[in-house]
Structures are given as C-alpha cells and as structure tokens.
Amino acid sequence: MHPGSMTKQRLYLFDTTLRDGQQTPGIDFSVDDKIAIAEMLDEFGLDYVEGGYPGANPTDTEFFREKRTHGSKFVAFGMTKRAGVSASNDPGLAALLQAKSDAVCFVAKSWDYHVRVALGCTNEENLDAIRASVEAAVSAGKEAMVDCEHFFDGFKANPDYALACARAAYDAGARWVVLCDTNGGTQPVEVREIVAKVIAAGIPGANLGIHAHDDTGQAVANSLAAIDAGVRQAQGTLNGIGERCGNANLVTLIPTLALKPYFAGRFELGIDAETLKGISRLSRAFDELLNRAPEDQAPYVGASAFAT
C-alpha cells in the first residue's frame, strides 16, 4: 500500500483562548472581545471553541446567552456536580446545561490527593460525580467531554484511580476524555508512555485529548507526543496565552501538524491549506486585540521566522 492510498486520521483542534487563556495575568476579555475572538476562531476552522464558564461570572453568563459560532462547536466549561447533591439539583450543572452551547467540557479531579484535599469527598463519590454529570449533559443533547485535571501527576501517584476517572467519563458517554498536564511539568517521553497505557487500558485514542501547560516549555512538544501516542484532540490557545506560563500554542502546533510530513502524512485537520496561509494574520490580529506587540521570534509566524 503506497503512502498516498492510506486514509488519514482526523485530528480535532480545541481552542481554549476564551476560557483557559482568560486566566492570563493582565487579560480581562469583555463580552464584545469574546464575540470578536470567537468569530476569528470560527472563521479559521477550529473544531471547538471553548467560550468560558457560564454561571461563574456575568461576562461568561452573558456570552453563553447565544451560540457564538457557526462552523466550530461552541463549548461551555464548568465543574462536575458536587458530591452529596443530585445532578438535577446542582445549580452549577444547571447553568452549564442551559448555556447555548453545542458541547460541555467538565473539569474533574483525577488525582486522588486532590479529591481528598480539594473536594473533601471519597474517591467513589468523585467517580459518581463524573458519571452523573456526563450523563446529564448527554441527556440534555450536548456533546460531553471531561478534562481530567492533573491527570499525568495523578497517574504517577495512583495509576488505577486516574484511569478509573478517565474510564468513568468514557463509559458514561463522554465523546472526549482529555488528559491534562495541569502543572506543565510532565516530559514528552512520559506523556507518550502514559497515553499508551491509557489506550492499552481500553480507552480508544479516538476519544482522547491532550491539554498541556507550558511551565517547562514543553506544551507543544507534549501535545505532539500525545498525538503520536494516539490522542486525536489537541487543546491550546492563540499565541500560547494562559495562566502562569501559558498553554500549548495552537499557532505553533497547527503548522507543525499541517506541514511537517511526519504528522501531515498521517493526519488531517479541519483547516485547509488556503486557510492555513492566514495563520500569521490571525496571530497578529489577536495580539492587536490584546494591545500587544507581535513577538518577532514566534515560530512560523514571527517577522524573524525563516528570515535567514
């Protein structure tokens, strides 16, 4: 079978500029800013645009009063239901299900230490909260996904429990189970090994995503390692904004996936070659909106890229 006849696998791109990116120090998007950015992302062809946390603040609640995308799936973010409260009686969950979104992304603890210290509930109650929340979203006609927070650290500490959290999400009907390197300290080789173990444990790569932070400068590398190991959704932000050191930079990740034969030969994106030409424009338009000078040394899109 020659390479040309191989069917490429679809990779999905998930933008969290408006949600995780909003945690960047010094950034405070207005509703109008959010509408403008969502439009830019939608036009560029991102598969998912995560808009924020309806119910948590007036801006996000207002932003989710209407669907803000046409081609991209519009995603609301929030927590799984609280322990000790039924899904139908949880106000946070109700706000998520009422938002005018196509999908809901739940954040869930997947490190037993955080279940004990941050949630103060039992491991089993946390699994139950994951299951019940996903089921409620699916019943409400939403595509459900779960961000397994601190997944890689949790896996190193207690692999069985981290896997149980991922499995609970998948079995309850989550379209995507997203493995998060929340502290940004995991190394690419570890990401590859742990993703392989998750797939071996029975959660298909076609239902797995990666959400990497850049605290050790590896967010793009970790995203690529996870894709190589089998995940089919990658999450990131425009120009790599995000809390602390930022998130995986989609402006770097997308051209690598689209142009480097190692990835381009195996995967296809929802962004065509013609649209890809506009990525520098997208990056600069976003900087302009933030009132920032574009970074000359940004990979692919900076003024100095490919200059010598």
Side-chain angles (χ1 to χ4, degrees), residues 36-256:
I37 296 163
E39 203 168 280
M40 284 157 57
L41 296 166
D42 191 23
E43 277 176 17
F44 194 69
L46 276 299
D47 297 294
Y48 294 91
V49 171
E50 187 173 52
Y53 194 156
N57 60 69
T59 301
D60 286 358
T61 302
E62 173 62 31
F63 187 57
F64 278 96
R65 288 231 165 90
E66 293 173 41
K67 181 164 145 66
R68 306 289 183 181
T69 58
H70 302 290
S72 309
K73 287 186 176 171
F74 190 40
V75 187
F77 172 90
M79 290 174 76
T80 53
K81 78 166 190 73
R82 297 193 310 274
V85 178
S86 71
S88 53
N89 285 331
D90 190 291
L93 186 57
L96 282 177
L97 301 184
Q98 284 155 18
K100 293 279 190 284
S101 72
D102 304 295
V104 175
C105 183
F106 293 106
V107 61
K109 305 288 183 206
S110 57
W111 186 354
D112 57 355
Y113 166 76
H114 284 144
V115 174
R116 194 172 68 248
V117 174
L119 296 181
C121 68
T122 68
N123 284 357
E124 191 46 57
E125 282 173 321
N126 182 50
L127 294 176
D128 176 59
I130 294 171
R131 282 190 287 263
S133 302
V134 169
E135 284 166 3
V138 173
S139 299
K142 309 273 190 188
E143 182 176 317
M145 53 189 101
V146 174
D147 273 5
C148 294
E149 203 179 10
H150 295 281
F151 184 83
F152 294 94
D153 294 316
F155 187 93
K156 289 183 222 175
N158 183 343
D160 290 343
Y161 188 67
L163 278 170
C165 295
R167 155 77 57 205
Y170 177 66
D171 287 348
R175 165 67 183 93
W176 295 106
V177 179
V178 183
L179 311 179
C180 301
D181 186 30
T182 309
N183 289 338
T186 311
Q187 301 303 296
V189 65
E190 296 175 301
V191 168
R192 187 189 301 272
E193 284 170 6
I194 290 172
V195 168
K197 286 176 181 168
V198 174
I199 293 172
I203 302 176
N207 295 93
L208 288 173
I210 179 76
H211 179 105
H213 281 263
D214 206 34
D215 298 69
T216 55
Q218 317 256 28
V220 168
N222 281 340
S223 302
L224 292 168
I227 289 165
D228 205 25
V231 314
R232 293 295 172 260
Q233 188 208 86
Q235 300 200 350
T237 58
L238 286 180
N239 297 345
I241 69 164
E243 62 184 332
R244 301 186 318 273
C245 305
N247 289 47
N249 187 349
L250 289 177
V251 176
T252 305
L253 188 63
I254 290 168
T256 298

Side-chain angles (χ1 to χ4, degrees), residues 1-7:
M1 197 163 148
H2 64 87
S5 67
M6 279 170 63
T7 38

